[in-house]
Amino acid sequence: MRLNLSLIFAGLIFFFNPNFNMFDILPDFVGAILIMTGLSKMYVYDANFESARKSARYLLWISVLRLAFTLWAVSSGNRDYLVAFTFIVCVLEAIFMISMFRGLYLGLEYTSMRADCEKHSRAISDAFTMSFIFTLGAKFLEFAPCICDIVKQDNELDLSAGASFRMSMAQMKVYVLGVCLICGLILGIIYVIVTAKTWIKIIADKNYAHFLKEKFDNYVVLDRDAYVAGKIEKVYFLVTFAFVFFFDFYVDGINVLPSLIGILLLAASSLYLSELSGQKNRLVLIFSAAAATSSVINYYFMTRVHLGINHIYSLSSYYKSEFPLLESKLSVVLAGFFSLLELSCTTLLIIFLIMQMKKLFSQERRTVALPMLTFVSVPAIGSLTLAAARNIFTTLEGHLATDDYVKGYVQNKVYITNEENYKAFMSNPLVAQYEKISMISYVLAFVAVAFVLISVLYMIRIRRFTDKID
């Protein structure tokens, strides 16, 4: 149980740094995942821990949404939307963070009293009070710089206090941001000190850890079916969520649904299954590490490919250094190699995961879903295959567009209004080939969406059948 307590403490540390839009050194969603993982065994002791776990799950979704929206707003130049979005996110995060802290520390206080560890009550109370103050203060400081954006249209607002120069409210934003950053860091450091002081005492308390372990072991023995059902529910959630990230969705050259997150979720699912079966398997670590590494390499390469294609379309917001990558045929070969490498490693991980699930379900007499589990790997691997093929065709499309004639067609395509001009362009074999490959890429994208939806819906259907015990 000390490991679970340590994971919760580590997750709490991820919330300490100031978060200004997408500039989050310690991502909040990683902290939420660590807290959820740490609470995975503690919900059986007190309902407050379950409440904290649910709040951490909401924070995970909010953090991912924030990252995706901010990335889109910054890359597409729609920064005006960030003001309203930041306000909404700050309010939601404050609500769920306070709810998470409340459930977490109330659960600690209750269980410590049952474990005859009342000496920690004062430290737990101090940690909750500091966490409450930190949440409100941090979210206010995060939104404060946006006030400058709200009044930026009032350029006549004089903040110079009688000096020889005039300064508008918009010009003050950089200074307000700096002050908020410093204040946020100070507040975060105080929060870390108070939180660490409390959690180090709790983790080091052998009586408390022994009490938690004893209660959990009794729960597993007395209600094995409920324990397994709860764990399987988490496995289904992680696997279903992972399949969503197998679709590549590019926003101005950036894939906002990276496969790496899906691979990590599959790895977490496999670890859950290993815990249920009581068998540690190193294969999951090998497959997960290989798949994650190949995914990172492929993500970086395809990001450069898409940025180069955006330059071909004359989007001035991207660097020209990405363009030469597509000029060589080697780019197509590399796209094929990296995509197939990611496909192979992730496929092995999925197959191993399905085998784990089938073995566990057979042991736990949940055999109704066994035939369905075999089929679910088909659309999942199919979506990965289509994504790999799409990467290759997209790179080939960009490579063809580096030809001056094809580039001219691409950049003037929207201005072609008559059939004569269109046929003139199509008479060039490279342009005709470019159009075919571009169409194939679009078709692959739509079919990939269908395969992802089939995978998700099928996992939801399997979940309904798994509850039936022979």
Side-chain angles (χ1 to χ4, degrees):
M1 283 300 168
R2 287 185 176 180
L3 176 60
N4 291 72
L5 295 171
S6 300
L7 287 175
I8 297 173
F9 172 54
L12 293 174
I13 298 300
F14 273 80
F15 291 98
F16 103 91
N17 65 296
N19 186 0
F20 294 98
N21 295 327
M22 66 182 296
F23 303 104
D24 192 3
I25 300 175
L26 298 175
D28 291 349
F29 70 86
V30 176
I33 292 174
L34 290 174
I35 292 173
M36 291 171 60
T37 304
L39 290 171
S40 61
K41 291 182 179 179
M42 300 182 67
Y43 67 94
V44 301
Y45 312 124
D46 186 65
N48 288 304
F49 286 138
E50 177 65 16
S51 176
R53 192 166 64 94
K54 290 181 179 179
S55 298
R57 181 182 299 177
Y58 288 125
L59 284 173
L60 167 64
W61 288 103
I62 294 172
S63 180
V64 172
L65 177 64
R66 169 205 283 272
L67 180 62
F69 184 89
T70 306
L71 189 62
W72 168 80
V74 172
S75 62
S76 61
N78 297 313
R79 292 176 177 269
D80 292 339
Y81 295 108
L82 286 177
V83 177
F85 180 76
T86 301
F87 175 76
I88 294 173
V89 168
C90 285
V91 172
L92 290 175
E93 286 185 338
I95 292 172
F96 288 111
M97 284 180 68
I98 291 174
S99 175
M100 181 187 70
F101 288 132
R102 180 180 179 277
L104 188 58
Y105 287 112
L106 282 179
L108 280 179
E109 186 175 13
Y110 174 72
T111 53
S112 63
M113 291 177 61
R114 292 187 59 188
D116 296 328
C117 300
E118 292 89 348
K119 58 184 178 181
H120 300 313
S121 297
R122 179 60 182 272
I124 293 173
S125 178
D126 292 343
F128 174 66
T129 302
M130 185 63 233
S131 299
F132 181 84
I133 296 172
F134 164 75
T135 301
L136 295 181
K139 296 308 162 185
F140 172 78
L141 292 172
E142 182 179 341
F143 180 72
C146 295
I147 299 175
C148 298
D149 291 325
I150 296 175
V151 298
K152 67 181 180 181
Q153 68 275 11
D154 188 4
N155 292 323
E156 299 301 322
L157 182 61
D158 187 8
L159 299 174
S160 54
S164 58
F165 62 91
R166 298 173 67 85
M167 180 177 290
S168 68
M169 189 68 177
Q171 292 173 307
M172 284 291 293
K173 181 177 180 179
V174 62
Y175 302 104
V176 175
L177 185 63
V179 171
C180 290
L181 179 63
I182 294 173
C183 294
L185 282 174
I186 294 174
L187 186 63
I189 291 172
I190 297 174
Y191 157 78
V192 169
I193 293 174
V194 176
T195 302
K197 181 180 178 181
T198 301
W199 282 90
I200 289 174
K201 289 181 179 179
I202 293 174
I203 294 172
D205 193 326
K206 296 181 179 180
N207 292 332
Y208 183 68
H210 177 73
F211 169 79
L212 294 182
K213 187 178 185 307
E214 185 179 42
K215 293 289 291 181
F216 184 77
D217 290 342
N218 291 336
Y219 168 75
V220 173
V221 173
L222 295 176
D223 201 349
R224 170 73 182 179
D225 284 340
Y227 169 69
V228 172
K231 286 291 184 181
I232 290 178
E233 186 72 22
K234 296 180 182 66
V235 171
Y236 275 132
F237 171 78
L238 292 173
V239 174
T240 305
F241 193 38
F243 287 156
V244 176
F245 289 91
F246 288 165
F247 173 67
D248 295 334
F249 183 71
Y250 285 90
V251 178
D252 288 334
I254 305 297
N255 184 12
V256 297
L257 295 174
S259 301
L260 174 64
I261 297 179
I263 291 171
L264 295 178
L265 291 174
L266 291 180
S269 304
S270 185
L271 291 175
Y272 265 119
L273 292 170
S274 297
E275 184 178 341
L276 283 173
S277 62
Q279 297 177 352
K280 304 284 184 180
N281 200 319
R282 295 181 181 178
L283 284 177
V284 63
L285 298 177
I286 297 174
F287 292 155
S288 301
T293 303
S294 60
S295 180
V296 170
I297 296 173
N298 192 43
Y299 182 87
Y300 172 75
F301 181 82
M302 291 308 301
T303 297
R304 292 196 61 191
V305 167
H306 280 268
L307 292 178
I309 292 175
N310 282 339
H311 173 66
I312 293 174
Y313 276 80
S314 298
L315 297 179
S316 58
S317 58
Y318 296 101
Y319 296 106
K320 296 181 180 180
S321 60
E322 311 296 344
F323 179 69
L325 171 69
L326 295 172
E327 292 181 341
S328 171
K329 292 182 180 180
L330 180 61
S331 61
V332 182
V333 177
L334 291 175
F337 175 77
F338 293 141
S339 297
L340 292 177
L341 179 63
E342 180 183 12
L343 169 63
S344 302
C345 295
T346 309
T347 297
L348 289 174
L349 179 60
I350 291 176
I351 293 174
F352 177 74
L353 178 65
I354 298 298
M355 290 174 60
Q356 272 190 302
M357 294 178 70
K358 292 180 68 174
K359 183 177 181 181
L360 178 66
F361 287 2
S362 179
Q363 292 174 351
E364 298 295 331
R365 296 178 292 113
R366 286 164 155 69
T367 57
V368 178
L370 288 179
M372 303 173 69
L373 279 173
T374 304
F375 179 77
V376 77
S377 60
V378 176
I381 297 173
S383 63
L384 290 170
T385 305
L386 290 170
R390 187 189 176 200
N391 287 343
I392 297 172
F393 278 100
T394 300
T395 308
L396 181 57
E397 178 185 348
H399 172 67
L400 290 174
T402 58
D403 179 80
D404 291 335
Y405 194 83
V406 179
K407 184 178 179 182
Y409 166 74
V410 170
Q411 294 176 341
N412 296 281
K413 186 177 181 179
V414 294
Y415 303 109
I416 300 176
T417 57
N418 57 71
E419 187 177 355
E420 183 179 351
N421 290 338
Y422 178 75
K423 287 183 177 180
F425 274 110
M426 287 298 108
S427 63
N428 186 294
L430 288 179
V431 174
Q433 189 177 9
Y434 170 85
E435 276 293 289
K436 291 179 181 178
I437 292 174
S438 179
M439 180 60 66
I440 293 174
S441 296
Y442 280 113
V443 171
L444 288 175
F446 282 110
V447 178
V449 173
F451 271 76
V452 169
L453 288 176
I454 292 172
S455 302
V456 171
L457 294 176
Y458 210 74
M459 283 300 299
I460 295 174
R461 185 166 182 262
I462 292 176
R463 177 196 168 279
R464 295 174 57 191
F465 283 90
T466 308
D467 293 335
K468 300 178 181 180
I469 303 176
D470 292 344

